[in-house]
Amino acid sequence: MPETRSTAYDSKIEGNVIFTRFDAALNWVRKNSLWPMPMGLACCAIELMATAASRFDIARFGAEVMRFSPRQCDVMIVAGTVTYKMALAVKRIYEQMPEPKWVIAMGACASTGGMYRSYATLQGIDQLIPVDVYISGCPPRPEALLAGLMKLQEKISRERSFRNQKPQLAEKLEDAVA
Amino acid sequence: MSRDELVDSLGKAFGEKIQAKTEFRGETTYTIAASDLREIAKFCRDEFSFDYLLDITSIDNLSEEPRFELVYHLYSMLHGVHLRLKLKVSEETGAVDTVFDIWPTANWHEREIYDMMGIRLNGHPDLRRILMWEGYPFFPLRKDFPLEGLPSEMPDVAFTKVTPMEGGPFVTIPSTATSKDREPRGRPPEI
């Protein structure tokens, strides 16, 4: 007589097993422990600090671990005006971050150059690195940053954990296979 | 020593080297020749206790000759007196002597003047750009440099693009008129 009991039913591990997709499980882990790279370049960085402090408490979303080494970061929060001279450093730090990685452009300056329409200011960090979430405001309130972070979490949970989030590695593997 | 005594004795000490004297709101400005700068600066510091260089600013009077103007803002900690030294630099010369060895703070002020206005400083120990990167081809604070910038392309170093000005908060109108007509004062100058 064939075995008809379903997996884990009426066994020692009953109740401790969840069935899900691998992507969903991995994304659930990733989105709830986003370690930010605080790229504070102007006044937006003050709001970023306020977001991390106890009143707004970014730790509620698992993003309280501000790492000052790009090697340990998942999301770069570009907070402030990006000048052309600084843009090179921002790009380099972005490239040093390991995949998977995301970018939040916080405030008007990081998104579009803001009020600084001049020879010295990069008109939006998206000209150099891919941006996932734009936050309006000059500077945005901490609530706006938290809302942006939640948007990013939503986006991550919809993504495919390998092809979307590790594009460079996927490309390398494809090249190796071909 | 009061302000008037200090300024008068300084004027007497240099006599003909001072081309003009201006008083404005209780502060004195002497116009001098660029060649006399180092001598007068040293004398101001050693004999008249102007031990603090507040700032060096540069002005571009486009379409006037000589084109550039440098203003040295001095302060005497001992007497609490301000003094300005003004000198003109023509575009062909494009250089003045450094005062870095008289007031060490001049080091970065002079680098900024070189970076933004393109005036070279003779004898400066480290004349590199301070705000823009090495190799940037323009001097952005000159009046003939457009506010929206000029494109520059330097692979592996940096680039700039022309900034869209339409609807922007700061818009300039290019003109060939003199700086006095282009940028009229908000209020008439006090005599």
Side-chain angles (χ1 to χ4, degrees):
Chain A
M1 189 176 158
E3 180 70 59
T4 53
R5 284 184 303 171
S6 56
T7 315
Y9 183 73
D10 197 19
S11 73
K12 280 179 187 166
I13 54 170
E14 186 193 342
N16 295 327
V17 173
I18 301 165
F19 286 96
T20 182
R21 286 180 301 117
F22 178 71
D23 266 8
L26 196 60
N27 282 339
W28 178 75
V29 173
R30 280 183 179 158
K31 77 174 191 177
N32 287 305
S33 66
L34 283 171
W35 289 13
M37 169 85 229
M39 200 72 217
L41 302 171
C43 35
C44 278
I46 305 295
E47 295 299 300
L48 176 60
M49 285 182 260
T51 316
S54 52
R55 186 182 176 99
F56 297 99
D57 196 12
I58 204 171
R60 293 180 291 154
F61 305 93
E64 78 278 21
V65 195
M66 302 272 176
R67 289 282 125 162
F68 292 91
S69 159
R71 305 288 184 202
Q72 302 169 345
C73 293
D74 302 302
V75 53
M76 179 190 261
I77 301 177
V78 184
T81 319
V82 189
T83 58
Y84 282 114
K85 197 170 185 175
M86 191 63 199
L88 299 172
V90 175
K91 183 157 197 258
R92 188 169 176 166
I93 290 169
Y94 174 77
E95 283 167 353
Q96 285 172 342
M97 286 164 59
E99 285 184 325
K101 54 188 171 183
W102 298 274
V103 176
I104 295 177
M106 180 181 177
C109 293
S111 303
T112 67
M115 59 182 274
Y116 298 103
R117 300 200 171 196
S118 82
Y119 61 91
T121 308
L122 186 69
Q123 301 295 300
I125 191 62
D126 52 0
Q127 301 206 14
L128 276 187
I129 57 179
V131 176
D132 295 284
V133 177
Y134 298 86
I135 303 172
S136 62
C138 183
R141 295 258 324 153
E143 293 96 323
L145 179 58
L146 291 176
L149 192 71
M150 288 157 77
K151 280 265 178 245
L152 182 61
Q153 288 181 330
E154 275 169 38
K155 182 180 176 178
I156 291 169
S157 61
R158 287 197 308 269
E159 277 181 340
R160 294 172 69 188
S161 62
F162 188 77
R163 190 156 289 281
N164 291 148
Q165 297 179 5
K166 287 182 165 286
Q168 284 172 18
L169 182 62
E171 203 174 297
K172 253 187 209 167
L173 288 177
E174 263 171 25
D175 287 351
V177 169
Chain B
M1 207 184 296
S2 76
R3 184 187 71 88
D4 290 338
E5 288 168 15
L6 193 70
V7 167
D8 283 347
S9 50
L10 188 68
K12 279 199 194 88
F14 279 102
E16 290 182 358
K17 284 189 176 159
I18 286 164
Q19 297 170 351
K21 179 186 173 187
T22 321
E23 293 275 345
F24 181 71
R25 291 190 176 169
E27 292 177 8
T28 308
T29 305
Y30 283 136
T31 308
I32 59 173
S35 51
D36 296 331
L37 169 68
R38 280 185 59 80
E39 188 191 342
I40 291 178
K42 201 167 243 171
F43 197 76
C44 285
R45 185 197 64 177
D46 294 340
E47 309 296 326
F48 290 93
S49 76
F50 284 102
D51 45 2
Y52 184 26
L53 178 68
L54 286 167
D55 199 1
I56 311 175
T57 48
S58 53
I59 304 159
D60 181 6
N61 297 314
L62 184 64
S63 76
E64 288 167 28
E65 189 56 40
R67 179 172 170 182
F68 300 111
E69 202 167 6
L70 264 73
V71 189
Y72 291 74
H73 303 253
L74 310 183
Y75 184 71
S76 166
M77 293 278 191
L78 188 64
H79 303 296
V81 174
H82 286 273
L83 178 73
R84 286 188 192 80
L85 299 176
K86 261 191 189 181
L87 54 92
K88 297 214 167 190
V89 184
S90 70
E91 199 172 359
E92 299 89 71
T93 323
V96 287
D97 293 333
T98 181
V99 291
F100 150 75
D101 49 339
I102 299 168
W103 296 284
T105 187
N107 191 331
W108 280 19
H109 289 314
E110 291 180 341
R111 276 178 68 186
E112 190 186 351
I113 286 169
Y114 167 67
D115 190 2
M116 292 284 118
M117 210 58 103
I119 301 168
R120 292 184 312 282
L121 282 302
N122 298 329
H124 192 282
D126 183 28
L127 198 61
R128 288 178 295 130
R129 283 182 175 268
I130 192 168
L131 297 171
M132 308 305 279
W133 57 91
E134 263 325 286
Y136 183 70
F138 308 110
F139 299 110
L141 279 196
R142 288 189 174 184
K143 290 287 179 195
D144 49 6
F145 184 87
L147 183 64
E148 65 265 34
L150 292 169
S152 75
E153 196 63 56
M154 296 199 63
D156 305 328
V157 186
F159 67 98
T160 58
K161 282 184 189 164
V162 172
T163 307
M165 278 290 164
E166 187 136 355
F170 312 113
V171 180
T172 54
I173 301 151
S175 162
T176 50
T178 62
S179 54
K180 212 172 151 191
D181 298 329
R182 285 202 319 269
E183 295 162 23
R185 301 281 184 274
R187 53 180 169 74
E190 292 173 37
I191 308 294

